[in-house]
Amino acid sequence: DAGVTQSPTHLIKTRGQQVTLRCSPKSGHDTVSWYQQALGQGPQFIFQYYEEEERQRGNFPDRFSGHQFPNYSSELNVNALLLGDSALYLCASSLAEGPGKAFFGQGTRLTVV
Amino acid sequence: GNSVTQMEGPVTLSEEAFLTINCTYTATGYPSLFWYVQYPGEGLQLLLKATKADDKGSNKGFEATYRKETTSFHLEKGSVQVSDSAVYFCALSDQDFGNEKLTFGTGTRLTIIP
């Protein structure tokens, strides 16, 4: 059983560019959450998708947007990249109606230069 | 809003030493509490959880007890191993089911010396 898979694993972008990160949830999971983990910090909640809609959102600007597809996979898009967007982006999947237990992917390391 | 405060690291211990990593939280209501571990180059893995006051979560020799009166969830292990070297995150969720939004502490880096 594949767990949560994220792609790509590493990415280098230039300031001002746009980036798309991808996540496939654990088999059977229907909810995807995205987190940003800056170096030396704990993960910060960006947003969560369920039934192809954004259900919750953290304190992140509108430059951060997402999408969930009918197969439950998800994308995170960041526009107008800033140097401060450099971080590890983590995807977590879970069941909306199940006991609380989020499974995390290995993350995408984004570097903005 | 919700917040989690963790003991700052890094923490360095000798093999077989006793481990305590402190965690306190601020939340409305009755949150669920978690410890996650992050090994080098990997994502987060759930280590243990507790969903109500006085619950004890345990896994792989690690334990933590949900103390509502002190708003704490300290992680303990009686005898650490080199393989326990990792970053440990305390987290909380104020929702019951899989749609939880997790609030994390800043993490504590643990290094075990043989």
Side-chain angles (χ1 to χ4, degrees):
Chain A
D1 174 27
V4 180
T5 58
Q6 292 186 242
S7 64
T9 54
H10 295 83
L11 200 53
I12 299 175
K13 288 287 189 178
T14 303
R15 190 172 48 184
Q17 286 188 315
Q18 179 264 344
V19 69
T20 298
L21 311 181
R22 295 176 176 82
C23 172
S24 292
K26 181 178 171 60
S27 178
H29 283 185
D30 55 10
T31 301
V32 173
S33 301
W34 287 91
Y35 292 81
Q36 181 195 65
Q37 185 179 10
L39 197 62
Q41 300 296 315
Q44 299 290 317
F45 177 79
I46 303 175
F47 44 53
Q48 182 181 85
Y49 277 83
Y50 171 68
E51 291 190 338
E52 302 180 49
E53 290 194 0
E54 183 181 291
R55 184 160 63 178
Q56 300 186 73
R57 190 177 183 92
N59 188 26
F60 279 79
D62 292 344
R63 297 187 298 108
F64 289 76
S65 62
H67 190 76
Q68 185 179 35
F69 299 93
N71 66 352
Y72 307 123
S73 66
S74 177
E75 290 181 349
L76 164 66
N77 301 292
V78 186
N79 294 323
L81 284 166
L82 304 174
L83 296 179
D85 295 331
S86 295
L88 180 68
Y89 288 84
L90 295 167
C91 171
S93 74
S94 55
L95 273 173
E97 301 302 326
K101 185 177 180 181
F103 287 80
F104 283 81
Q106 292 188 326
T108 295
R109 172 73 62 187
L110 173 65
T111 302
V112 182
V113 298
Chain B
N2 297 338
S3 67
V4 175
T5 302
Q6 265 184 257
M7 169 179 169
E8 290 200 11
V11 174
T12 302
L13 295 172
S14 298
E15 205 166 18
E16 299 184 1
F18 184 86
L19 169 71
T20 299
I21 300 178
N22 291 336
C23 171
T24 57
Y25 68 89
T26 301
T28 55
Y30 302 95
S32 294
L33 302 174
F34 306 83
W35 276 100
Y36 279 84
V37 58
Q38 187 173 36
Y39 297 103
E42 298 186 13
L44 298 174
Q45 299 177 26
L46 178 66
L47 182 59
L48 52 84
K49 63 179 281 190
T51 58
K52 61 183 186 295
D54 299 325
D55 266 3
K56 177 184 284 188
S58 61
N59 186 27
K60 299 181 181 179
F62 291 90
E63 293 183 340
T65 301
Y66 189 142
R67 301 288 188 198
K68 187 173 184 299
E69 64 276 14
T70 55
T71 62
S72 65
F73 192 54
H74 304 322
L75 182 68
E76 297 182 337
K77 186 175 185 181
S79 177
V80 293
Q81 305 300 314
V82 172
S83 58
D84 294 327
S85 297
V87 181
Y88 292 81
F89 293 93
C90 185
L92 70 81
S93 168
D94 58 7
Q95 293 147 318
D96 290 333
F97 296 103
N99 58 347
E100 69 259 18
K101 162 191 163 184
L102 293 165
T103 300
F104 287 89
T106 55
T108 301
R109 181 175 298 278
L110 174 67
T111 301
I112 307 301
I113 298 172

